[in-house]
Amino acid sequence: MNKPPSWSSHEESLLLLNAYLDNELDAASALNMERRLANDPALRAEHDRLAQLRKALRSQLTTARASDDFRKRISAIAEESPSDNYSSVVVPLPVRTRPMNDWRRIAAAATVAAIVTAGGMYVFLRSNSEAIDIAAIVADHQRALLAAAPFDVASSDRHTVKPWFDSKLALSPQVVDLANDGFPLAGGRVEVLEGKPVPVLVYRRRAHVISVVAVPHTGIEATTEPSLVTTKDGYSVIQWHGRDFNYTVVSDLAENELNEFVKRWREAAVER
Amino acid sequence: MDDRQRFNEAVLPHVDDALSLARWLTGNAVDAEDVVQEACVRAFGAIATVRDTSARAWLLAIVRNTAFTWIAKNRPKAVVTAGDEALFEQVELEMVETQPSPEAVLIEKTDAEHLHLAIAALPQTYREILVLREIEGLRYQEISKELSIPIGTVMSRLARARHLLIQRIGMAGQGKAGAA
């Protein structure tokens, strides 16, 4: 891809570096960034600073927990209010219009120009390809549910499943045993994503099936960053980066239960 | 599925996240509860418009709008004007120094209190984008949609927010080291 001349500017490097750390770059741009990091000590230093900041934020900031009392008040909203009275309520879009001084208008115009420049960066972002990934992973999960069994190798023993992947794919994702937490291992299967075979672990929770897709991603260390939760076609999808693999979990399980599963899984994977 | 069930599925699981966001936007836990409660009433009113795929980002957008309405009503002086916002956008990302930075060490050792203060001291525009990304874990696309700003702006604000935060933590850390 041809870069506009302005792309060499430092500011744009920083934006790309941030996007890289946020895992928002497409594969080619991420590789490119890795190469630049290896050759540019200043960029490397900035990378380390940002990584430290992230670590500090993730380890020090806790999310709020609603008190039971508050939770009750919130669930009461749906019970008390007859919805008809509210059906015409429109949620306002976040548009803020306020008077501006002339010089500020100029500043705003400069901002707009800056934004237009930055617009060229969309092409480097991975959002689309990632959306396809999730769609593909969910579709595979659905297909697996329609098949006679959602796995190719049936075993609740991780010492059977792990070598099976090893022999089949020459890949060895972490397989953890969560039977004691109520998520017994059911087996494993192979899925083809973007033309490459990837291992999928299958767990069960009551009648629900949980697919854990492990996409190899060499050179990436396991992180403690929070998992990314989305939904697709009613399935909960949770993603995170583990040691050498990017993991995606799909299930029709309630989101909080699936979160619990991911939490236990990651904890168990770290202990190993 | 009736509205109540929809509300239970789309809103209730995200109350903690809504509360976190509201805490950062209003600056305290009591106001945050007021804002979230009001936001949930609005959310219930608009429950028919929610799609399963984006319930969380949808609720957070409502919380954000409610918080701004609430702040404008209860703390008129704290409202960020569009002019200020334009001014913030002008903050330049400064050149990174080439020498290995002592800041990195300071950042790592920063405690929760300093981090909170540093985030609270960020201009509203930067604080909210940082919270949406780092605490709520939204992707660029979701933030772009939620704030109705282009992805390029998400990227530049986030980079600036982090840059400012690193500077502030660095300064606080140095102050502390000097005092000790």
Side-chain angles (χ1 to χ4, degrees):
Chain A
M1 185 180 304
N2 291 324
K3 289 192 232 169
S6 61
W7 273 76
S8 58
S9 97
H10 184 72
E11 169 151 349
E12 274 151 356
S13 302
L14 286 189
L15 297 196
L16 285 176
L17 179 60
N18 274 274
Y20 169 73
L21 281 159
D22 287 326
N23 197 24
E24 295 268 358
L25 290 182
D26 63 36
S29 313
L31 265 178
N32 187 30
M33 179 53 72
E34 276 160 24
R35 266 198 298 274
R36 287 177 60 186
L37 282 171
N39 297 321
D40 183 344
L43 202 59
R44 182 83 224 167
E46 185 63 24
H47 171 277
D48 293 348
R49 262 194 293 258
L50 286 168
Q52 296 274 18
L53 177 67
R54 155 154 309 170
K55 214 167 126 195
L57 287 170
R58 302 266 150 107
S59 62
Q60 307 270 15
L61 297 183
T62 46
T63 46
R65 282 278 305 153
S67 63
D68 291 346
D69 178 50
F70 183 67
R71 212 171 277 280
K72 269 185 213 140
R73 266 155 62 201
I74 295 300
S75 38
I77 289 172
E79 277 144 39
E80 286 165 7
S81 341
S83 60
D84 300 351
N85 297 354
Y86 287 87
S87 54
S88 63
V89 171
V90 174
V91 179
L93 286 168
V95 173
R96 282 179 270 164
T97 47
R98 292 188 190 89
M100 272 197 252
N101 296 334
D102 276 354
W103 69 271
R104 281 180 170 167
R105 269 182 219 280
I106 294 164
T111 308
V112 170
I115 290 166
V116 171
T117 317
M121 246 173 250
Y122 293 167
V123 291
F124 288 84
L125 298 181
R126 57 175 299 156
S127 38
N128 277 340
S129 65
E130 179 145 329
I132 292 165
D133 277 354
I134 287 184
I137 287 169
V138 170
D140 180 83
H141 178 78
Q142 289 169 316
R143 261 197 309 279
L145 292 179
L146 291 174
F151 39 71
D152 302 328
V153 54
S155 174
S156 59
D157 181 1
R158 63 189 182 84
H159 299 297
T160 306
V161 176
K162 203 171 158 69
W164 183 79
F165 281 128
D166 207 4
S167 63
K168 199 115 180 148
L169 300 175
L171 283 173
S172 198
Q174 282 183 294
V175 182
V176 300
D177 184 357
L178 296 177
N180 290 338
D181 297 310
F183 299 101
L185 183 64
R189 70 174 185 270
V190 174
E191 170 176 338
V192 177
L193 273 183
E194 289 179 348
K196 291 194 194 88
V198 295
V200 182
L201 306 170
V202 182
Y203 290 83
R204 283 197 185 281
R205 172 72 155 188
R206 299 185 305 273
H208 303 277
V209 171
I210 306 171
S211 292
V212 182
V213 183
V215 179
H217 196 307
T218 45
I220 296 288
E221 281 175 38
T223 62
T224 52
E225 53 184 272
S227 318
L228 173 76
V229 183
T230 44
T231 57
K232 166 87 186 153
D233 298 344
Y235 291 91
S236 298
V237 180
I238 303 184
Q239 300 184 296
W240 75 95
H241 305 297
R243 197 176 68 206
D244 295 333
F245 289 90
N246 286 332
Y247 293 94
T248 305
V249 166
V250 187
S251 180
D252 58 345
L253 212 54
E255 196 179 301
N256 54 353
E257 265 188 291
L258 197 60
N259 268 322
E260 172 74 14
F261 170 78
V262 170
K263 195 171 142 256
R264 305 266 165 150
W265 202 99
R266 291 181 72 171
E267 281 167 3
V270 166
E271 282 163 17
R272 203 160 295 278
Chain B
M1 182 163 32
D2 68 6
D3 285 354
R4 190 171 135 191
Q5 202 179 343
R6 207 182 271 269
F7 181 84
N8 288 346
E9 283 175 17
V11 175
L12 294 188
H14 309 300
V15 168
D16 287 346
D17 290 334
L19 213 49
S20 300
L21 177 61
R23 264 189 207 184
W24 282 109
L25 294 178
T26 61
N28 78 71
V30 180
D31 294 347
E33 288 199 349
D34 287 353
V35 164
V36 171
Q37 187 162 359
E38 200 182 319
C40 288
V41 171
R42 286 200 203 181
F44 183 63
I47 199 72
T49 66
V50 70
R51 287 177 303 125
D52 291 342
T53 48
S54 58
R56 185 158 166 276
W58 170 83
L59 180 67
L60 293 178
I62 298 177
V63 169
R64 175 180 176 270
N65 294 337
T66 309
F68 283 125
T69 318
W70 189 94
I71 290 168
K73 201 171 81 189
N74 294 285
R75 299 189 210 136
K77 281 183 186 163
V79 172
V80 179
T81 71
D84 286 341
E85 215 171 292
L87 197 62
F88 296 149
E89 298 289 355
Q90 282 194 307
V91 175
E92 296 261 324
L93 283 177
E94 278 144 47
M95 213 20 225
V96 179
E97 298 111 51
T98 22
Q99 70 268 29
S101 147
E103 282 168 23
V105 186
L106 292 170
I107 294 163
E108 196 178 28
K109 295 204 168 134
T110 279
D111 55 38
E113 194 195 335
H114 276 96
L115 207 53
H116 269 100
L117 288 175
I119 297 173
L122 285 178
Q124 175 78 55
T125 317
Y126 294 148
R127 188 167 68 239
E128 86 180 350
I129 208 148
L130 190 83
V131 168
L132 290 176
R133 172 67 205 133
E134 299 286 14
I135 297 163
E136 306 290 1
L138 296 192
R139 303 209 69 93
Y140 287 6
Q141 245 182 358
E142 293 172 297
I143 298 174
S144 157
K145 204 175 142 217
E146 177 168 330
L147 301 187
S148 303
I149 55 176
I151 286 192
T153 312
V154 173
M155 293 174 76
S156 60
R157 279 192 196 167
L158 196 54
R160 287 179 167 88
R162 285 173 172 158
H163 184 73
L164 280 176
L165 197 55
I166 287 173
Q167 275 186 335
R168 275 164 211 236
I169 297 169
M171 271 156 28
Q174 271 158 1
K176 209 165 55 171

